[in-house]
Amino acid sequence: MFPALSQLKRQDDIKVDTDGWTIYDIAVVSDTRLLVIMYANQRAILVNSQTGGTLAKITLKDNPCRVCMFNNIMAIVTLEGKSLQLININGDSLELGRSFSVNGDVWGVARSEDKIVVSYVSPPGLQVLSMDGTVLHTFNTRAAGGDVFKCPLFIATSADGMVYVSDRDKSTITQLDSNLHVIRTYSDPILQKPQGIISVSEDQMLVCSHDNHRILLLCPSTGAITSILGQQDGIKETRALTYSPSQKKLYVVPNETSGRIQVFQQQ
């Protein structure tokens, strides 16, 4: 189970040299390495998770939106130019792998076993893809007979195969199965313009409530949404987050140009 607020202790921030650009997303590569992406300067940087020092950097073909790890040697990045880019990680080096086009303005990305789940902001929807880009399942919010999504910026998958989508403009989290059938939609006044979302166990999701300056814990089985970190802990307009189970560390990215990553240690 994920710890209560009193069990999360803030550590020293990590300061990444981003040349003044905003970190858009972050992923844990290993106990000592993080992969961060910056939207406007089309860069991905491999950094030391202890010092924030740059280990490697690579220029992408377009503005990166989101990143997830497919395994411990490969990351997947969504690019604004309607494509996915694979990044190979070899020790402390990065190199571009395959890329392939997708059918819309892609934004969110998550791994689901040996497949990729992506979200689109225009038109709003989701797809499950094979690793060669073949479309396996599609969810189109308009074809579904209603506005299920308006702006699905972040997605996450859990160990039981469920897909979770945070919708910034609807202030909701939607749960779907692996075939993209809607199971349930979660909403709460505390959930204001949610952005980053991650799974920390089969029945626990962490969500950035951007406008409410909180990190929220969602328990899908009960629908309970509670605050575990807030402004008193330095949380303000958080965009993205990631968690290292082996180190029991939570990394939080504020929406700012400082290159700062906040670190919270589970006690």
Side-chain angles (χ1 to χ4, degrees):
M1 298 292 286
F2 202 77
L5 174 61
S6 60
Q7 296 175 283
L8 282 172
K9 183 178 180 180
R10 185 169 178 180
Q11 307 293 296
D12 291 339
D13 294 345
I14 299 171
K15 182 66 169 60
V16 180
D17 183 6
T18 62
D19 294 324
W21 299 100
T22 301
I23 297 174
Y24 252 56
D25 204 2
I26 182 174
V28 172
V29 178
S30 69
D31 285 352
T32 59
R33 296 172 296 164
L34 299 169
L35 186 64
V36 302
I37 59 170
M38 280 80 63
Y39 174 82
N41 73 343
Q42 302 181 1
R43 286 280 182 88
I45 302 179
L46 186 68
V47 303
N48 184 302
S49 61
Q50 307 298 318
T51 67
T54 298
L55 301 173
K57 61 177 67 175
I58 196 166
T59 300
L60 303 168
K61 299 174 183 177
D62 213 319
N63 295 327
C65 302
R66 299 288 174 253
V67 62
C68 76
M69 296 301 298
F70 189 78
N71 52 41
N72 61 357
I73 59 171
M74 185 171 66
I76 307 169
V77 178
T78 58
L79 299 180
E80 191 175 36
K82 300 183 179 181
S83 64
L84 297 182
Q85 175 70 60
L86 306 185
I87 298 179
N88 298 318
I89 304 169
N90 183 14
D92 290 342
S93 66
L94 301 174
E95 64 177 17
L96 295 180
R98 293 186 297 111
S99 64
F100 48 88
S101 299
V102 290
N103 302 317
D105 293 329
V106 66
W107 205 264
V109 63
R111 172 194 171 188
S112 179
E113 297 182 336
D114 60 344
K115 298 177 284 295
I116 306 168
V117 187
V118 295
S119 67
Y120 299 96
V121 294
S122 181
L126 303 172
Q127 284 186 329
V128 177
L129 310 173
S130 68
M131 281 302 293
D132 64 3
T134 301
V135 177
L136 304 176
H137 304 286
T138 298
F139 179 89
N140 185 297
T141 191
R142 294 169 185 165
D147 293 330
V148 178
F149 301 120
K150 287 187 177 179
C151 192
L153 293 182
F154 283 86
I155 57 178
T157 53
S158 57
D160 59 356
M162 294 296 169
V163 178
Y164 295 85
V165 183
S166 67
D167 193 304
R168 183 193 65 187
D169 290 357
K170 294 196 73 174
S171 290
T172 57
I173 304 295
T174 298
Q175 180 192 47
L176 305 93
D177 66 19
S178 58
N179 295 323
L180 302 184
H181 299 129
V182 174
I183 304 298
R184 183 175 179 180
T185 295
Y186 305 90
S187 61
D188 190 281
I190 201 173
L191 193 63
Q192 296 180 15
K193 294 194 180 298
Q195 297 208 25
I197 181 169
I198 58 171
S199 172
V200 291
S201 76
E202 190 169 299
D203 194 39
Q204 293 185 312
M205 311 295 297
L206 293 185
V207 186
C208 295
S209 183
H210 182 275
D211 284 18
N212 208 20
H213 314 297
R214 297 175 186 269
I215 304 297
L216 305 177
L217 175 64
L218 164 66
C219 293
S221 61
T222 66
I225 301 176
T226 55
S227 175
I228 64 167
L229 293 170
Q231 285 184 285
Q232 70 275 13
D233 306 292
I235 299 298
K236 183 178 181 182
E237 295 182 346
T238 52
R239 182 194 300 278
L241 73 172
T242 191
Y243 179 67
S244 170
S246 60
Q247 288 194 306
K248 297 183 178 180
K249 282 186 178 181
L250 176 66
Y251 299 92
V252 177
V253 177
N255 186 9
E256 57 186 43
T257 59
S258 67
R260 184 168 61 99
I261 299 172
Q262 296 169 299
V263 183
F264 296 88
Q265 179 71 58
Q266 180 178 342
Q267 300 298 297

